[in-house]
Amino acid sequence: MRILVIEDEPRLQRNLVRALQEEGYAVDASPEGAEGLGKARHCDYDAILLDVMLPGMNGWEVLKELRRHKATPVLMLTACDSTDDRVRGLDEGADDYLVKPFDLPELFARLRALIRRTVGRSSSTLQIGEITIACQARTVRRNGQPIALTAREYAILEYLALHRKELVTRTQLYEHILDEQDDTLSNLVDVHVFSLRKKLGHELIVTRRGQGYSIDQ
Ligand code: CA
């Protein structure tokens, strides 16, 4: 999953990026509205954390402009805890909001729920045949036995599982599991899929030749 953080306060931005990366997300960040909007339009993020008070273009303006083009889930970070602000945010197309200062566990929980809602799933546990994926704990079991996956392997598996029965292209996988800092060549999707099949069974992930991958079960 790939997240965009639009936040101008350097310390908060740094902390958010680091914490999200530790949770296994690929993360891009921008300190200003216009630049952030550019990134949001260019790339299909799984969710955007959007600060309201930004230099230049503020969060409301970014949201309004973004909604003319894209339905990317947006979680607003607001300093003001007024009902007006909340109503305004939801009216203008925000999917959720958090009032600063907020706890990271709450942010993570809201983010997971937001991403699940977007793909139309309500449970944080995904069951595919003998494979159980616990999205909150980021753990995978096969027939009840824990399977150790690398962060990248987990990210690919989770993305495919959330988009079960859909074709997921390699481009999509690159876009959703890597961030701007990543060297794509050292993170070949095919290599991770090969390793996932070894650990989870060869029939789980289907190759659609020349197109990408899918989990069809
Ligand atoms: Ca701010």
Side-chain angles (χ1 to χ4, degrees):
M1 299 290 155
R2 185 166 168 184
I3 311 290
L4 174 64
V5 176
I6 307 178
E7 167 63 66
D8 60 315
E9 201 187 308
R11 226 180 95 199
L12 180 58
Q13 190 202 89
R14 252 196 328 273
N15 289 342
L16 281 173
V17 168
R18 196 174 50 220
L20 287 165
Q21 284 170 338
E22 283 169 6
E23 283 292 295
Y25 294 103
V27 189
D28 297 330
S30 175
E32 39 170 281
E35 187 198 80
L37 178 64
K39 290 188 183 196
R41 288 186 57 180
H42 174 73
C43 175
D44 272 329
Y45 290 98
D46 295 287
I48 299 172
L49 300 186
L50 177 58
D51 184 28
V52 172
M53 304 296 281
L54 291 166
M57 201 176 186
N58 70 31
W60 304 124
E61 292 162 335
V62 171
L63 178 64
K64 199 166 170 187
E65 191 55 30
L66 178 72
R67 282 289 171 263
R68 292 177 52 208
H69 308 275
K70 282 193 161 182
T72 313
V74 171
L75 197 159
M76 301 291 288
L77 304 176
T78 165
C80 353
D81 184 20
S82 76
T83 313
D84 278 1
D85 253 43
R86 275 179 264 169
V87 170
R88 180 175 176 187
L90 298 173
D91 270 353
E92 293 194 5
D95 298 272
D96 201 356
Y97 64 90
L98 262 181
V99 178
K100 292 179 181 176
F102 48 81
D103 294 328
L104 284 174
E106 183 175 6
L107 172 70
F108 296 150
R110 301 257 195 132
L111 206 50
R112 282 192 300 266
L114 199 59
I115 292 171
R116 280 205 309 272
R117 273 210 304 277
T118 311
V119 292
R121 305 202 185 271
S122 56
S123 165
S124 65
T125 303
L126 303 168
Q127 185 73 45
I128 302 166
E130 59 193 23
I131 309 295
T132 312
I133 307 169
C135 297
Q136 187 169 355
R138 300 173 52 75
T139 57
V140 176
R141 287 171 182 272
R142 183 180 184 185
N143 287 326
Q145 295 300 312
I147 304 287
L149 299 184
T150 66
R152 287 269 189 269
E153 288 166 3
Y154 179 84
I156 291 173
L157 177 67
E158 188 191 62
Y159 192 84
L160 287 170
L162 284 169
H163 296 84
R164 210 171 156 176
K165 300 185 199 288
E166 291 171 28
L167 168 69
V168 176
T169 64
R170 282 188 182 75
T171 311
Q172 243 174 306
L173 284 174
Y174 277 116
E175 194 162 291
H176 290 271
I177 66 164
L178 304 180
D179 59 43
E180 293 172 332
Q181 318 295 327
D182 272 308
D183 168 11
T184 47
L185 283 178
S186 63
N187 287 292
L188 286 172
V189 163
D190 300 346
V191 175
H192 297 307
V193 170
F194 178 79
S195 171
L196 278 169
R197 283 182 176 141
K198 267 205 329 211
K199 294 176 180 179
L200 302 174
H202 289 269
E203 60 293 332
L204 179 68
I205 300 172
V206 177
T207 302
R208 307 251 195 118
R209 209 159 287 285
Q211 302 181 75
Y213 298 103
S214 64
I215 290 180
D216 292 337
Q217 298 180 47

